[in-house]
Amino acid sequence: MPSRPSPMALQSSSPYPSIFKKKSTSTMPTAASYLSAVSEADARARAHGANGSTPGSTPALSLSSSVTSSSEDTVLDESGLEFNDGLSYPRTPPTSEQVFTTVHSEFGHCANEKYRYTSQHRAGTQYKSYPEQDPPYYILLTTYLSYLLVICLGHIRDFFGKRLRPSHYKHLVSQNGYAALNSDFDSFYTRRLKTRIDDCFSHPVTGVPGRTIVMLDRYSPDYNVTMVPTGTRTRGLNVSSYNYLGFAEAKGPCADAVESSVNRYGVSACGSRLEGGTLDLHQQAEALVARFVGQEDALISSMGFATNSTIIPALVSKGCLVISDELNHASIRFGVRLSGANVRMFKHNDMNALEELLREVVSQGQPKTHRPWKKILVIVEGLFSMEGTLANLPIIMDLKKKYKFYLFVDEAHSIGALGPHGRGVADYFGINPRHIDILMGTFTKSFGAAGGYISGNKVLVDRLRVHGHTGPYAEAMSPPVLTQVIASMASIMGISSGLEKDKLNALVLPAKSEEYPGLVPVSALPSWMPVAPTMADGSDGLMRLRRLAFNARYLNRGLRKLGFITYGCDDSPVIPLLLFNPGKMAVFSRMMRTRAVPIVVVVVAYPATPLVTSRVRFCLSAAHTKEDIDTVLIACDEIGDLLDLKQGQGERWPLKEIINRAVELVAMPETD
């Protein structure tokens, strides 16, 4: 396992030499020169576009911040500037007449309609996740041997360390009658395995986590026990954030609406309250959420984790049974534990195992007494964020009709990211959301906000307002966060002023849908909220949905054609790429961050995943351009060869062919 300090952090101010060499960067001397360069580049771009050769999208990132007047394809980079000086280009939202040849840090502009796709399950076909593949035996063997070696070395280090350096182990032994702060056995994994690659985790960042993200560079003089900031920053391509629709922006219609909210209400969650402890904004947000997901009513919470952990105890109690997918989120497990209900788990997304379990629990009833269960609640996630798989909702709905259980769907990752209307997994499969008893979701992913919601029929939601712990104990959502939720949802739905409704519906909705209202009445929005034209006609939201769908399918299928083992559905914006070996996790992350165009990824290890299925997760966004996905594929192709990661089965394409045939690759049927 690599134990040297993070090469990402080994900048010029670090006392350690780097094994990775990055291209040097030059900074612009003044803001005036930067703005002058931007003006010249934009003028050249307009003239270039007038000649009939408009570029389709934002070019790939470049670390070169010099401006070459002889090139019409100049790429301006913001990495050499102070990132908090407000000079990020463009200063104002773009218009359809503008042509861009510069790098955009928050949202990459793409005018090529070929790079669009509609996320939707084909009617009449059976849903199947891409079959999980096992690597060759030598990969599994070396992975187990790696863990065994690290464990043995860790115990040897502990044995000698406790005797030669007892001061380093004070927190693991009892002193002066006080128990140890940490368990020696329980903390072994953290001390001797995770710490060795800790520079890959919890990397500090600053600014907006949009298309790119700014990392605060650091290094470690003591093998990752402590991290020392270098004082420098690096901007990299961001494929690590749940910014699915690209609403994490410091400029644009949503940002303008939030700014108006701050001017009106301030930033406190407790100020300017109306009677009953609720702002008018809270009521408008709950009504809009219910309309967005296609339910009668909704209840919002200020924290996504707390939405599950505080609401589930109000749904079930002793004498009830919860049937949970084995890979459900920790918030679901915690909520079930608090409820006191019995819980049974079934194999992940195995509908045969679910039906067998349903037969057993319905026929046998409660343990010992065999009385019928008071309530049976099946809980699944719409999109499983560690696997990239979707709940097999069509089969679950058939089982629901047959066995008469209640269904709870956690759409934390699927809402806003799936379906032709962006309404989640039910929209993706074309299922009426009213047939699902409880729809839960969060605002932290697709909507660029915070908090979560529970939706269902009005009687149920009213009961949860009274009996759920969220209402009396949780902090209220602040007005700026509520405004971000309202503005982003309105951007997806479109806004109706009562005029030309049919025309707007035809623009916003790919197909007629009775379950999902296509437009939100302007009367349902705050009267003071500014509405941009692209928000009103729904074109902005539709563009984001279709760009995300293209990016997800392109990267997912591109990685498989390169020979990598990935999990999940082709339409999932979360793409896990299997690394297996613990040492490869560290090297993969470091090599991605230290490329000429740095790429920021998330590596996931035990206990979040099984011990031998360590992985890197690519989290895609509508803010990414096709060229950004090309950049990721090129990097994965090179690093995959170096680390022997291409162990997948099936037909392989050369990298150049994948890039050139991207549109064809995305449009291929799932059976191909």
Side-chain angles (χ1 to χ4, degrees), residues 458-478:
K458 184 169 178 57
V459 175
L460 172 65
V461 174
D462 285 343
R463 174 181 171 83
L464 295 178
R465 295 184 199 278
V466 177
H467 294 278
H469 297 162
T470 301
Y473 298 116
E475 188 72 30
M477 290 178 69
S478 64

Side-chain angles (χ1 to χ4, degrees), residues 206-229:
T206 185
V208 177
R211 173 180 174 244
T212 65
I213 196 168
V214 179
M215 298 175 289
L216 303 179
D217 300 327
R218 58 182 184 172
Y219 71 95
S220 177
D222 49 12
Y223 301 101
N224 295 334
V225 176
T226 59
M227 295 288 180
V228 180

